[in-house]
Amino acid sequence: MAAVINKLEKRFDAFKDIFTINPILENSMRRYVLTSLAVIAISLVSTAQNKVVKKPVAPAVKTTGGYNIPITLTPYKNTWVYLGCYFGKYKNLSDSAFLNEKGQGVFKGKEKLPRGIYFTVSPQKYLLFEFLMDKEQNFSIKADTNNLANVTITGSADNQMFQEYTRFLAQKTPMLSALQKQLAEAKTARDSGVIKTTMTKANKELQDYRENFIKAHPSSMLANFFYGMKRPEIPAIPIGKNGKGDSTYPYRYVKENWWQGVAFDDESLVRTPFFEPKLEEYFKYYVAPDADSVISEVNYMLLVSRDSREMFKYLLGKFTDKYINPEYMGQEKVFLFLFDKYYSKGDTAWLNSKQTKFIFDRAYSLMANQLGEPAADLAMVDTSGKPVSLYGINAPYTFVTFWDPNCGHCKETVPRIDSIYRAKWKALGVKLVGVNVDEGANDAWKKFMNEHKLEGWAHIYQTKAARDAESKKGAANFRQLYDVYKTPTLYLLDSQKRIIGKMLSLEQFDDVLTAKMKTATSVK
């Protein structure tokens, strides 16, 4: 990891909070909604209701607005319990209620809560049980922590169906868990086969329950969730006239049916623990990583979710967070698409001025260093004060390293660059340009170069006077033009100084060079 985590990474952390509410429950808790009834320990970091203050229990009153959910939770009394919900991969605090001496309390608010899967959290910060937050939000809960498999919810048809399903799971889960353990301990192939057959049968019973439920209650909240959980079952591969099967058929079938039945305008999916994993799995396995393929998928999802403000905000935030600092080279183009399509047109009114400025600044910084585009010139000086221009360096390939002599990761990476240069790149005609990003550390910079014999490089830096003049004119500086917010930052340029590599490891840069050289040789 880079030793110097500069301003950008801190801004990334702040950026995440724009779109995802900070978790009040540890994200390490296993997701088990609709699959397990275990009570799992979690940590509650919000201290808003830690102080015990007795308050009267409001009566259960039917209201047209807001929510009113009386709860009786034994054996707790004279203590606080909490109402939480899922939000993507996070778990958030929604409300709290004080239980009186009879263990009675009320979750109550003037405005309705967003629909989704909610849960009750004990005073000891344990997630106790889950339930559905329906449209009406006027129902009562009665539960005994010694028998959480029999939670009683009255006044909500959606929750009654949900409770029936959880009781069905309570019967099946122990058997499936036991079979999984037996499979792991099986000694022979025959034993494994018998266990797998039994597991397949049991899993089919679960699947049949869900399928039958969807047919019987197609418009119910739980049916929508079953669709959201579902993974396509791959049918037999069809055999063509040539007697061979299409090896790409399973991939195409799963991709085409992945979102079958899932309504992207249903905001309740945002507040479930299974929608985000399904989304991530889809992009990981069924969407090609090139920017254009990703943009096509992202744009479609955002368009079909426009009628649901919560879903639209969630997806735009999710995609922005993912591609503003992408996993693969070139995917920042996805973020720039989002900026041009949505942010620059004012479709994000929920952001404050500081957040908006960050998005715009980040976009403008990335626009200047896209793959295939000419790199900005670097008009600086070398160690002797002699002017040097990037475009004055003639070479089939130029490797530019922005580094800080006081950066630990730079001290490790720069000698490695020099080693691969001497061993291979120099013979290929590659020229190295090393840019010191801190003119105040010139002595340490020169000392490091001499100690490691970094010869054959163009070592340059920007003087303070040049930087001040640039700032006075309002011109973009090299940090903005090359997105240098952490060090080292590396670029590979072709003979025309177009960017052909960025955000890669040294090994990956070497692979790019090798591929380019092979292509150039074959063309000749």
Side-chain angles (χ1 to χ4, degrees), residues 19 305 308-318 350:
F19 298 101
S305 68
S308 170
R309 187 171 184 270
E310 284 293 306
M311 177 64 84
F312 177 76
K313 283 174 59 177
Y314 166 78
L315 289 175
L316 182 58
K318 172 71 177 176
W350 62 86

Side-chain angles (χ1 to χ4, degrees), residues 97-116:
F98 187 79
L99 302 182
N100 62 18
E101 292 184 354
K102 297 181 180 180
Q104 300 171 335
V106 180
F107 295 117
K108 186 176 182 180
K110 294 181 179 180
E111 296 183 2
K112 286 188 180 296
L113 294 168
R115 294 184 304 123

Side-chain angles (χ1 to χ4, degrees), residues 373-398:
E373 297 296 323
D377 193 14
L378 295 171
M380 299 186 176
V381 298
D382 63 15
T383 55
S384 65
K386 179 182 176 181
V388 176
S389 169
L390 174 65
Y391 278 78
I393 298 173
N394 295 317
Y397 300 100
T398 305

